[in-house]
Amino acid sequence: MKITRFFSTAAILLFLVSCSSIRVTSDYDKDVDFNQYKTFAFFKEGIDQVKLNDLDKKRILNAIDQELTAKGFVKTDQNPDFLINIFTKAQEQVNITNNNFFYSPWGYGWGWHPYWGPSRTMVTTSTEGMLYIDILDTQKKSLVWQGVGTGYLSNSSKTEQKEKKIQEFVQKILAKFPVEK
């Protein structure tokens, strides 16, 4: 009975982890014609202030570069049409689950039974991360588009998994850019 409960709980947790969805929102200046943008660069001063290790920062910038290049934009250091800035936030979530199990020869139900089972409290933590991608018009010197991706981050030490998760975040956020009117 305990083995069956363990495997069913493990299967549910595996399913929830594999279905880790990323929620995306975006906002933009409705007066901007996004068809005018052809070239981009990264806003170094802003990116340098992001509180993130250099390896993950590089992974995010590479993923953004790949996505924008795939959409036909050209990266340049000479008079870009728009600049990319990023910033991140992370919040620790604590989840407490209390399961009271009891067994009865007459089936499950409310009330007192002579066959009480164990009470188990489980405490788990997870990190919810947010990645903001800002598009800044270099002529107007203003924010014209912002995309935000929110999702749960794994504490995996595997480089491939980190890169895959970062790529997924960036891809889903930039799916809404450029805005087509």
Side-chain angles (χ1 to χ4, degrees):
M1 183 76 161
K2 287 182 182 181
I3 293 173
T4 304
R5 187 176 311 131
F6 171 77
F7 283 119
S8 63
T9 304
I12 291 170
L13 288 175
L14 183 62
F15 175 77
L16 290 175
V17 169
S18 67
C19 295
S20 61
S21 64
I22 297 171
R23 298 174 308 281
V24 174
T25 60
S26 64
D27 194 10
Y28 64 95
D29 183 343
K30 64 180 178 151
D31 296 329
V32 172
D33 177 16
F34 289 92
N35 293 322
Q36 69 180 333
Y37 298 128
K38 305 291 183 222
T39 60
F40 72 96
F42 291 105
F43 184 57
K44 183 175 175 10
E45 294 82 12
I47 292 170
D48 286 345
Q49 295 179 15
V50 174
K51 294 180 178 152
L52 193 63
N53 71 58
D54 288 341
L55 291 172
D56 286 340
K57 201 182 293 187
K58 185 177 177 180
R59 288 179 183 113
I60 292 171
L61 297 179
N62 285 338
I64 292 170
D65 191 356
Q66 289 174 3
E67 282 299 312
L68 291 178
T69 302
K71 289 177 180 254
F73 296 103
V74 177
K75 184 178 174 183
T76 183
D77 294 330
Q78 305 278 325
N79 299 322
D81 297 326
F82 64 92
L83 295 174
I84 304 286
N85 191 30
I86 63 166
F87 62 99
T88 60
K89 289 183 182 179
Q91 182 176 347
E92 192 75 22
Q93 301 286 334
V94 178
N95 304 308
I96 301 171
T97 307
N98 187 5
N99 295 321
N100 290 316
F101 299 105
F102 61 88
Y103 308 97
S104 168
W106 304 286
Y108 295 102
W110 295 100
W112 185 86
H113 293 282
Y115 304 102
W116 287 98
S119 175
R120 184 172 42 193
T121 302
M122 292 176 28
V123 179
T124 58
T125 60
S126 56
T127 304
E128 183 178 54
M130 297 176 79
L131 173 62
Y132 292 78
I133 300 177
D134 294 342
I135 306 291
L136 308 161
D137 187 299
T138 56
Q139 298 298 318
K140 295 179 182 180
K141 298 186 187 311
S142 64
L143 178 69
V144 294
W145 186 90
Q146 182 179 65
V148 182
T150 306
Y152 286 95
L153 307 173
S154 67
N155 294 329
S156 173
S157 61
K158 293 185 179 180
T159 302
E160 298 83 24
Q161 288 180 339
K162 282 177 114 175
E163 285 182 7
K164 193 178 207 181
K165 191 67 166 182
I166 287 171
Q167 192 77 28
E168 183 183 6
F169 259 83
V170 169
Q171 186 177 34
K172 287 189 177 186
I173 294 169
L174 289 178
K176 297 184 177 230
F177 179 80
V179 177
E180 294 181 21
K181 297 180 185 180

